[in-house]
Structures are given as C-alpha cells and as structure tokens.
C-alpha cells in the first residue's frame, strides 16, 4: 500500500513552548511541525490562541521560520477565547486529524476530552492533567474512541536517560535503592512568561512531573506513598501565590515488594542570570553501583558579549545549517513531537496499530501514574506535609 494520507494538525496555545513567545527562540512545537512538513507527513497546520496579539506573534514566528527552513505549508491562525470553547468550534470547522494541547495545566482535561469526542488524536503537553479522576476520564474516552492519545514526556528520549535505563535493565546497578533529582528554572518563568497562570499550578506539577514519569519509565515500579514540603518566600512577596520550591519523597514498590525511594527537589526561583533556563541533575543508587547525570552540563559552554555565559543543551532542541544554508532542527524534544505525528500518520495509513503505538509511547494509561502522584503531592502540601497513600 502506498502511504499518501497526510494529516492536518491543530495546535491549541501559542506560548513559549509552541513558538518561543517571550524569547528569541522558535519554541519546540513549531519547529517540530515544520520538520514533519518536510517529511511530507503534514498537509496543513492551524493555531488557536487566546489573544490577537498572541496570534500575531505566532504568525511572525511562523513566517520567519518557514522562510529560514525553506518550508511551505498551508497555515491558519485563530485568535479565540479558550474559556468560551471557541477552540471546539474551530475543531468542528476544520476537522483536524491531530490536536496538540499546550495550555495551562488546569485546562488540559476539558479541552482534551472535548476533542477526543470528535475522534481527534491528541498530544497533551505535560502534565496530562492535575488529578486522577480527570485522568481516568481522559483515558476512558480515548479508549472508547480508539484514538492515539499521548503525553509529551520528552525525557524518555534523552540519550542520557536511555543510558540509565540500559544500566538498570542490564542490572549493572544491582537492586535499586534510591534516586535524587534536582530540577529548577529561572524566576522569569513564574514572574513573567507564565505570570497569568502560575498561581494555578506549582513547580512540581508543571515541571517536576517530568522526572516522576521518568522514574516510572526507567523502573516500572508503582508508587505507594508520597510526602511533600513547600516554601513560599520569594514569589509571595511578589504577590504571586505559589510555591518557590517543593520537595517530594516518593515511595515506590516492585512486584517482589522491594522498596525504592525517589527524592525530587524542584524550584523556579533560579537567578535570571543563570547560564541555562533549566538546571537539572539526577543520580540513582543501587547495591552494585551509582549513576549520575548532570543534565545541564552537556559539555558545551558559550560566552558572548550579547548573552554572557550560556550552558546549552544541543540534544533537546537545536537548529543547524544544511548545505543550502537553510536551517533544520534536531533533538529529543523535536523527535518526541515528530514521533507522535508519525504515529498518527502511520495509523491513518493502516501501517501501525494502536497496540503497537502504545508500546512505544507515553500513552494515557501509563500517564495515570504521574497524575496520581501530582494529586497526592497537592494533598500533602495542603495538609501540612502529611504522608498520602497513592490510589490508582
């Protein structure tokens, strides 16, 4: 069978991750889609944003990037209010095959469920949602409609993390004992870039959840208990009512009842002069060895008059020049979004089954784990750091 059925994509959101709004970058979603256009997988892209100004910024970014990449694709921009469900009217009008949901955390479940009911395949930027009840609703409707639904947990594709998974599977670390994770971002994130909704989320829910999913992906252990502590000092003085930092201890259990502990320290009050947007480290200790990865220090440092000192991660999302001096993007962040697009493309062309796709993705069923932990962490924070039992 000749594969000919390209797909139409609807992106809901127009912020930093979509197009690099507020920065001099192009984000991650927009470059990924244009790379998919080059591979002749996508035929049309549409964007829904909450404001006309957001749509205008996105349009300028798209026009400039498509020129730099020498890519042509039909593209439409719809500035509408999400809380009036106009995104749903747009979806009914254009009938996309795929929707990528990149909105504030608390909107994920409502938007996703309404789109899946229209038989639209969905990729949700982490977290899947904020509680296990909504997560189960999302899973149930996706299974009923038999559509591909995934969460954008790109750390599963980072080669450093895949090396750790290899060490675990090959039993080079022995029996797993504990892991320490530190993950932080600059103050500009809650103070400026996400200021309008940073009080409706927290740093663990928005960012730390990446490493919750990663621990599950690496070990396949099941979480049983959670306890969390939070600090409100800096951001509260700026009249932003959310935690500066959150420390979470998760107790995991293997099928043989052996226990593994992960300690997650997350914050978003790093100095804005930090050499990278994110600072992240993970160590994992077993009875036979220790794995340590500084995922900020990738070995490349740039010092310039314009930007000062930068520690860049070229393996997540970076652009390069080809022989014609057009740019192309590569990295595990790009690869992760393109994989979802390709999954739908192959499914639509009867080249891959839902079962096959689920085996190689952060599907909704696996993502119930991270949603249950988010809910437990929020309960622990609300109840003076009480230990909360995980219920799946």
């Amino acid at each position: 069978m000749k594969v000919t059925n390209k797909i139409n994509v609807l992106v809901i959101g127009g912020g930093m991750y979509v197009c690099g709004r507020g920065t001099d970058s192009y984000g991650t979603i927009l470059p990924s889609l244009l790379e998919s256009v080059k591979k002749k997988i996508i035929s049309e892209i549409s964007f829904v944003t909450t404001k006309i100004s957001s749509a205008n910024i996105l349009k300028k970014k798209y026009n400039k990037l498509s020129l730099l990449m020498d890519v042509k694709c039909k593209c439409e921009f719809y500035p509408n209010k999400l809380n009036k469900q106009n995104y749903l009217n747009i979806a009914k009008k254009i009938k996309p095959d795929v929707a990528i949901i990149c909105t504030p955390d608390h909107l994920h479940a409502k938007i996703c469920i309404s789109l899946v009911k229209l038989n639209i395949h969905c990729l949700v930027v982490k977290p899947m949602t904020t509680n296990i009840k909504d997560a189960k609703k999302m899973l149930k409707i996706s299974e009923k409609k038999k559509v591909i639904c995934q969460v954008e947990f790109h750390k599963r594709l980072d080669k450093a993390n895949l090396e750790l998974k290899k060490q675990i599977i090959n039993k080079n670390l022995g029996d797993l004992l504990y892991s320490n994770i530190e993950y932080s971002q600059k103050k500009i994130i809650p103070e400026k870039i996400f200021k309008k909704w940073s009080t409706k989320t927290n740093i663990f829910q928005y960012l730390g959840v990446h490493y919750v999913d990663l621990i599950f992906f690496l070990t396949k252990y099941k979480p049983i208990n959670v306890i969390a502590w939070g600090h409100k000092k800096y951001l509260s003085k700026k009249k932003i009512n959310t935690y500066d930092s959150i420390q979470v201890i998760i107790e995991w259990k293997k099928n043989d009842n052996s226990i593994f502990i992960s300690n997650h320290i997350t914050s978003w009050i790093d100095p804005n002069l930090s050499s990278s947007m994110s600072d992240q480290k993970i160590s994992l200790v077993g009875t036979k060895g220790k794995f340590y990865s500084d995922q900020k220090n990738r070995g490349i440092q740039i010092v310039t008059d314009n930007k000062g000192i930068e520690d860049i991660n070229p393996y997540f999302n970076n652009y390069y020049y080809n022989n014609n001096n057009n740019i192309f993007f590569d990295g595990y962040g790009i690869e992760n979004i393109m994989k979802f697009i390709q999954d739908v493309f192959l499914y639509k062309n009867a080249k891959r089954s839902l079962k096959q796709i689920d085996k190689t993705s952060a599907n909704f069923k696996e993502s119930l784990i991270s949603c249950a932990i988010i809910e437990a962490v929020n309960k622990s924070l609300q109840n003076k750091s009480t230990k909360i039992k995980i219920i799946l």
Side-chain angles (χ1 to χ4, degrees):
M1 170 184 167
K2 186 178 180 181
V3 177
T4 57
N5 296 317
K6 295 183 182 180
I7 62 175
N8 298 330
V9 179
L10 172 65
V11 179
I12 301 176
M16 184 177 70
Y17 202 65
V18 173
C19 68
R21 192 180 69 195
T23 74
D24 60 359
S25 76
Y26 295 98
T28 301
I29 292 175
L30 178 56
S32 302
L33 296 180
L34 291 182
E35 286 293 339
S36 295
V37 172
K38 285 165 58 177
K39 292 183 178 297
K40 299 182 179 181
I41 294 176
I42 291 175
S43 60
E44 184 176 344
I45 306 171
S46 301
F47 296 91
V48 174
T49 60
T50 56
K51 293 182 178 180
I52 294 176
S53 59
S54 298
N56 288 337
I57 291 171
L58 182 51
K59 190 173 184 179
K60 288 179 181 179
K61 294 261 191 180
Y62 170 83
N63 288 337
K64 185 176 180 180
L65 186 58
S66 60
L67 185 64
L68 290 169
M69 294 178 67
D70 191 25
V71 175
K72 293 180 180 180
C73 178
K74 184 179 179 182
C75 192
E76 299 290 343
F77 302 88
Y78 301 94
N80 288 292
K81 290 290 184 182
L82 292 177
N83 57 5
K84 293 182 180 180
Q85 288 192 317
N86 282 340
Y87 71 91
L88 195 55
N89 296 330
I90 298 301
K92 289 177 180 178
K93 176 184 175 181
I94 66 176
K95 296 180 172 58
D97 301 292
V98 161
I100 299 177
I101 300 167
C102 192
T103 64
D105 306 348
H106 62 286
L107 299 175
H108 288 181
K110 179 181 178 181
I111 293 173
C112 181
I113 289 171
S114 62
L115 293 174
V116 169
K117 286 180 178 179
L118 299 177
N119 300 303
I120 297 172
H121 306 281
C122 288
L123 176 66
V124 182
V125 174
K126 52 74 192 166
M128 175 180 173
T129 187
T130 59
N131 60 80
I132 192 67
K133 182 179 179 181
D134 283 346
K136 287 182 177 179
K137 288 180 181 178
M138 293 166 73
L139 174 62
K140 184 177 180 180
I141 188 66
S142 69
E143 290 179 335
K144 179 181 178 181
K145 291 292 185 175
K146 296 182 180 180
V147 296
I148 299 168
C149 285
Q150 299 174 9
V151 182
E152 202 273 311
F153 282 128
H154 53 251
K155 293 195 181 298
R156 291 184 175 207
L157 299 184
D158 186 339
K159 295 297 191 298
N161 297 329
L162 290 175
E163 176 62 32
L164 174 53
K165 187 175 180 71
K166 182 177 76 176
Q167 295 297 323
I168 292 171
I169 290 176
N170 291 343
K171 301 190 182 302
N172 293 332
L173 303 179
D175 295 327
L176 304 185
L177 300 176
Y178 66 89
S179 178
N180 287 314
I181 294 124
E182 296 181 57
Y183 198 5
S184 58
Q185 287 191 332
K186 295 179 180 181
K187 295 173 181 175
I188 193 174
I189 296 292
E191 284 190 296
K192 185 177 180 180
I193 296 175
F194 295 155
K195 186 176 182 179
K196 291 185 178 179
W197 60 276
S198 57
T199 57
K200 296 181 180 180
T201 186
N202 60 56
I203 185 57
F204 180 83
Q205 179 176 299
Y206 145 71
L207 192 68
V209 68
H210 261 310
Y211 280 90
V212 171
D213 176 75
L214 182 63
I215 291 296
F216 172 72
F217 171 70
L218 294 171
T219 68
K220 297 303 180 183
Y221 286 17
K222 298 295 178 65
I224 54 175
N225 290 300
V226 163
I227 186 167
W229 298 264
H231 292 90
K232 289 185 177 181
K233 294 183 180 291
Y234 175 80
L235 291 173
S236 60
K237 290 179 181 178
K238 299 290 183 176
K239 297 182 180 179
I240 300 173
N241 185 25
T242 190
Y243 293 97
D244 298 343
S245 63
I246 297 174
Q247 181 173 337
V248 175
I249 295 178
I250 306 172
E251 186 178 6
W252 306 77
K253 186 167 70 172
K254 196 178 179 182
N255 290 336
D256 63 3
N257 290 325
S258 59
I259 299 298
F260 173 77
I261 303 294
S262 63
N263 179 28
H264 304 250
I265 303 172
T266 55
S267 78
W268 50 0
I269 57 165
D270 282 0
N272 288 327
L273 291 177
S274 176
S275 60
S276 67
M277 183 64 77
S278 297
D279 191 351
Q280 46 191 312
K281 302 174 180 68
I282 180 172
S283 63
L284 192 145
V285 176
T287 55
K288 292 183 178 179
K290 177 179 182 180
F291 182 97
Y292 177 78
S293 177
D294 184 340
Q295 302 199 345
K296 169 187 171 181
N297 181 14
R298 299 283 181 151
I300 297 177
Q301 189 174 87
I302 301 172
V303 185
T304 62
D305 289 336
N306 291 333
K307 296 185 177 181
I309 299 175
E310 296 177 278
D311 289 308
I312 70 167
N313 175 7
Y315 311 110
F316 167 61
N317 170 10
N318 204 8
Y319 73 85
Y320 308 92
Y321 289 93
N322 62 19
N323 287 341
N324 296 321
N325 287 336
N326 296 126
I327 68 174
F328 66 94
F329 284 79
D330 197 9
Y332 58 86
I334 302 294
E335 180 187 351
N336 196 48
I337 294 170
M338 289 182 67
K339 180 186 177 300
F340 169 73
I341 298 296
Q342 186 179 49
D343 282 344
V344 177
F345 177 69
L346 293 174
Y347 179 67
K348 183 177 179 180
N349 286 280
K351 291 289 186 177
R352 191 169 295 172
S353 68
L354 280 173
K355 187 175 182 180
Q356 289 173 317
I357 291 168
D358 274 349
K359 287 181 178 180
T360 61
S361 68
N363 57 66
F364 275 10
K365 187 172 184 180
E366 288 196 348
S367 298
L368 293 181
I369 296 287
S370 57
C371 293
I373 291 176
I374 287 173
E375 184 175 66
V377 165
N378 289 333
K379 285 181 179 179
S380 183
L381 290 170
Q382 293 164 7
N383 292 278
K384 299 180 180 180
S385 302
T386 301
K387 181 185 281 189
I388 304 296
K389 185 177 181 180
I390 297 292
I391 300 175
L392 291 168

